[in-house]
Amino acid sequence: MDPRRKKKLTYGTIGLIFLLSGVEYAVILPTIWRYLQTLDAQPYFLGLSLSAFSLTGLLSGPLFGHWSDRTRTTKKIILFANIFEIAGNFMYFMGFSKWLLLSSRLVAGIGTGAGSSIFGFLTRSTAPEDRATVFAAVMACRQAGLLIGPACNIFLRLCNFHLGPFVVNKYTAPGLFMCLMWILLQLAVAFMYWDLPQLERMKTRGCSTNTSREEEEDEHGPGEDDEEKPLMVSQELVGSYGAVVMPNPQRNHSGASNHTPPLPAPPPPPPPETQGSPFRNFSIYKEFLREEVVVLLAAQFITLFNQTALETMVTPLTQKYFGYGELENSVMYCLCGVEVIGGFLFVRWLSRRASERVVLAIGLAICIISGVWCLVFLAKPLGDFPWQLTEFIIGVFLQVLGLPFVAVAQVSLFSKITAEKTQGFSQGVRRSVGGLATILGPVWAGGLTENIYIMLGVMMALLALLTVMLAFSYGRLVEPAAEEQGDSQESSD
C-alpha cells in the first residue's frame, strides 16, 4: 500500500480512538448518577466512580508511554489497551451492584493509558510548527465524540429488553453500546493502523548536518519531504556516525584527490540490540522540575481539576434547580460539544498566527472570568426561573469556551520543551497529572454539593496561583530547540 495512504488511514484511526473516548464519556456521564441511585449507592459514589476511571489511567499512562519509547511501536499497545476498555464497559453493562460498577470504571480506565503512546507517536511524526494544529485536530475528534455521545444517549434511553440474564435499559445500554464500539475499533486498529516511524525511516528531511540519522528518523514530520532515500549512500557523502560530508570539488572522477587523502570509511553501525536506550542519561528531576515544565503541568492539573469539579456539580445542580433528567442533560452536553468543537477549530486557526503561550494566556483569562461568574451566580442563583437558567447557561458557556485554548496550548508546548526520544513517557506523566486532577476534582465537588462557595472559592484560588506562575514564567515558555538550532546555524555560518 502507498505510504501516504497508510499515513492517512493511521491518522484516521487515531481520530476514531479519540472520538470513541469522547463518546464513552458523554454516553455515561448523563446517566451514571441515576444508575447509581438504582443500585442504592450513596452520593459520594458518584465522585468515586468518576475518579476511578482516571485513577487507573493515571497509573497506566506512564507505563504505556515507557513501553512505546523503548519499542518505538504503538499498534500492539493500542490493541492491548482496548481489551481493558471492552472488558470494563461490559462490566458496566452487567451492573449487578454498585461495587461492580465502580470496578468497571477502574478496568476501563486502564485502556486510556494508550493515549500517552499516541501523543508520543504524534510528537515524533509531526514538525514542531505543525504540532499545535495536529493536536487541535485530535482533541477536536474527542470533542466530536462528546457531541455524538449525548445524541446516542437519546436513543439508548429507549432500550428496555432482556439479553439472556442481563437487563438492557437506559442505564445499562451505554455499557453494552461502548463495548461493541471498542470491539469494532479493535478491527480498525488491526487493519488500518501502521507504526509510521518505522515506515518513514528511509525518508529525507532538511536538518542540521550534525544531527544523527536516528534523530532525523524520530523528528520526521508528516508535512515534510516524502522523497525516499536510496538504500546505498556514497561514502563521499557520509562521514563518521552518519554526519553528512560535502563532496570535495577537487576530487577527480576516479575518487582520488589532488590535495587531500581519501576519507576513511565510516565504522559499521552497531547492531540494533546494542544501540542506546532512549532513556540513557535521562533524569526525571532535570526533565520535569524545570520551571517551564512545572508551569505547564500546573496548568494541566488546575484546569482539569476545575473542569471535572464543575462537571460533577452540573447534574445535581440541574436536578435541584431545574428538574433536569437524563434527556435534558444529554441535550445540554450535546450543545456543549458543539461549542467545544467550534473552539478547537478556532484554536487550530489561531495557533498558526500566535504562539502557544499567547493562546494559553487567553484560555486562562477566560477560565478566570468563568470562575468569577460561577462564584457570583451559580453558588446562589438570583431571580426567578428564566434568570437562573440564563445565569447557568452563561456560566457553562464560559467554562467550556476556555477549555480548547488551555488544552491545545499546554499539550503542544509541553511536547516541545521535553525530550523527543522519551516523549511517550513524558506524555504519560503529563496525562497522569491530568488524571490526578480528574480524580480529585469529582471527589472534591461530590462532597461539597451543598457548600458551593467553598468549592468554587478553592477553584478560584487555584486559578489565581496559576496566573501568578504564568506571569513569572512567561518568558521561558518557548521552544528551546528552536533557539539551539538557530545558534548552531549561526555558528556554522
Side-chain angles (χ1 to χ4, degrees):
M1 184 181 295
D2 180 73
R4 291 179 179 273
R5 183 173 180 83
K6 286 185 177 182
K7 182 184 296 185
K8 291 180 180 179
L9 291 175
T10 299
Y11 288 155
T13 305
I14 291 175
L16 286 177
I17 294 172
F18 282 90
L19 178 74
L20 284 188
S21 68
V23 170
E24 179 178 1
Y25 186 82
V27 162
I28 289 178
L29 186 61
T31 58
I32 190 173
W33 172 236
R34 295 290 184 91
Y35 193 4
L36 288 168
Q37 289 177 331
T38 63
L39 300 174
D40 299 324
Q42 293 79 8
Y44 66 83
F45 251 81
L46 174 61
L48 288 179
S49 300
L50 295 177
S51 300
F53 186 77
S54 301
L55 174 62
T56 48
L58 178 153
L59 299 174
S60 63
L63 296 178
F64 286 146
H66 179 76
W67 184 4
S68 66
D69 288 333
R70 294 298 296 265
T71 62
R72 284 295 191 269
T73 60
T74 53
K75 181 174 183 177
K76 59 185 178 182
I77 298 175
I78 297 173
L79 291 172
F80 178 72
N82 285 348
I83 295 175
F84 293 95
E85 290 278 10
I86 295 170
N89 280 282
F90 188 79
M91 293 167 62
Y92 187 91
F93 159 66
M94 295 168 63
F96 292 133
S97 70
K98 60 184 179 182
W99 295 106
L100 180 62
L101 190 147
L102 179 62
S103 300
S104 72
R105 304 312 294 157
L106 286 170
V107 173
I110 297 176
T112 63
S116 59
S117 301
I118 295 175
F119 275 110
F121 162 77
L122 292 175
T123 299
R124 289 189 292 265
S125 61
T126 55
E129 61 271 16
D130 298 328
R131 202 164 293 161
T133 302
V134 173
F135 287 162
V138 169
M139 293 180 178
C141 290
R142 186 179 188 276
Q143 299 306 317
L146 294 176
L147 173 61
I148 297 172
C152 296
N153 221 11
I154 294 175
F155 298 99
L156 293 175
R157 62 188 292 272
L158 302 177
C159 295
N160 188 15
F161 59 91
H162 284 76
L163 188 63
F166 306 110
V167 177
V168 183
N169 55 32
K170 59 184 177 181
Y171 303 126
T172 62
L176 179 62
F177 174 74
M178 290 310 306
C179 180
L180 296 175
M181 291 296 100
W182 287 112
I183 291 175
L184 292 177
L185 182 66
Q186 284 287 76
L187 298 176
V189 174
F191 296 105
M192 298 170 56
Y193 188 97
W194 288 267
D195 288 313
L196 292 181
Q198 280 71 25
L199 293 177
E200 297 185 353
R201 289 186 180 224
M202 303 304 297
K203 296 182 181 179
T204 61
R205 71 186 293 250
C207 60
S208 174
T209 59
N210 295 324
T211 304
S212 68
R213 183 180 296 120
E214 182 181 356
E215 291 174 346
E216 291 178 16
E217 295 161 3
D218 292 342
E219 296 175 358
H220 181 76
E224 297 172 349
D225 191 7
D226 288 325
E227 180 183 355
E228 295 188 355
K229 286 184 179 179
L231 296 179
M232 300 297 295
V233 183
S234 171
Q235 298 296 338
E236 295 179 354
L237 301 180
V238 183
S240 300
Y241 306 106
V244 179
V245 179
M246 297 304 296
N248 192 337
Q250 297 178 350
R251 187 182 301 274
N252 55 31
H253 293 287
S254 62
S257 175
N258 295 330
H259 302 284
T260 60
L263 293 174
E273 61 271 11
T274 62
Q275 290 182 359
S277 167
F279 288 88
R280 178 180 295 177
N281 300 326
F282 176 79
S283 173
I284 292 179
Y285 298 101
K286 293 181 180 179
E287 186 72 6
F288 299 119
L289 292 185
R290 289 180 287 127
E291 178 181 333
E292 58 272 26
V293 176
V294 172
V295 171
L296 293 179
L297 292 178
Q300 168 88 345
F301 178 86
I302 293 173
T303 53
L304 283 180
F305 178 90
N306 289 358
Q307 177 194 349
T308 53
L310 289 174
E311 287 175 348
T312 305
M313 179 191 68
V314 160
T315 47
L317 200 65
T318 56
Q319 184 181 17
K320 177 181 179 181
Y321 289 106
F322 311 124
Y324 281 3
E326 57 273 358
L327 176 61
E328 293 83 358
N329 286 330
S330 297
V331 173
M332 177 185 64
Y333 285 115
C334 184
L335 294 176
C336 290
V338 174
E339 179 189 355
V340 173
I341 290 176
F344 274 107
L345 293 177
F346 177 77
V347 171
R348 178 181 175 136
W349 172 83
L350 182 63
S351 63
R352 295 182 178 274
R353 294 160 176 81
S355 63
E356 285 95 341
R357 59 181 180 177
V358 173
V359 177
L360 180 61
I362 294 174
L364 181 58
I366 296 175
C367 289
I368 292 174
I369 295 173
S370 171
V372 172
W373 182 274
C374 292
L375 188 62
V376 173
F377 293 104
L378 294 189
K380 188 176 181 180
L382 305 176
D384 52 8
F385 181 83
W387 279 108
Q388 292 179 0
L389 184 60
T390 302
E391 293 162 2
F392 175 79
I393 291 174
I394 294 176
V396 172
F397 174 82
L398 291 174
Q399 174 64 26
V400 172
L401 181 62
L403 176 63
F405 292 86
V406 178
V408 173
Q410 59 93 8
V411 174
S412 177
L413 191 54
F414 185 84
S415 71
K416 295 179 179 180
I417 66 175
T418 52
E420 189 168 296
K421 288 182 176 297
T422 56
Q423 194 62 209
F425 179 78
S426 297
Q427 292 292 339
V429 171
R430 181 192 63 81
R431 288 171 63 87
S432 292
V433 171
L436 180 62
T438 57
I439 292 171
L440 298 178
V443 172
W444 173 257
L448 293 172
T449 53
E450 301 298 328
N451 298 278
I452 305 298
Y453 280 112
I454 297 178
M455 183 186 72
L456 293 176
V458 170
M459 294 165 56
M460 282 301 303
L462 291 175
L463 286 175
L465 175 62
L466 179 59
T467 303
V468 174
M469 294 175 66
L470 181 64
F472 278 99
S473 304
Y474 189 80
R476 298 180 63 91
L477 296 176
V478 292
E479 180 186 0
E483 297 178 353
E484 294 173 1
Q485 183 178 4
D487 294 341
S488 64
Q489 289 178 352
E490 291 176 2
S491 63
S492 63
D493 293 341

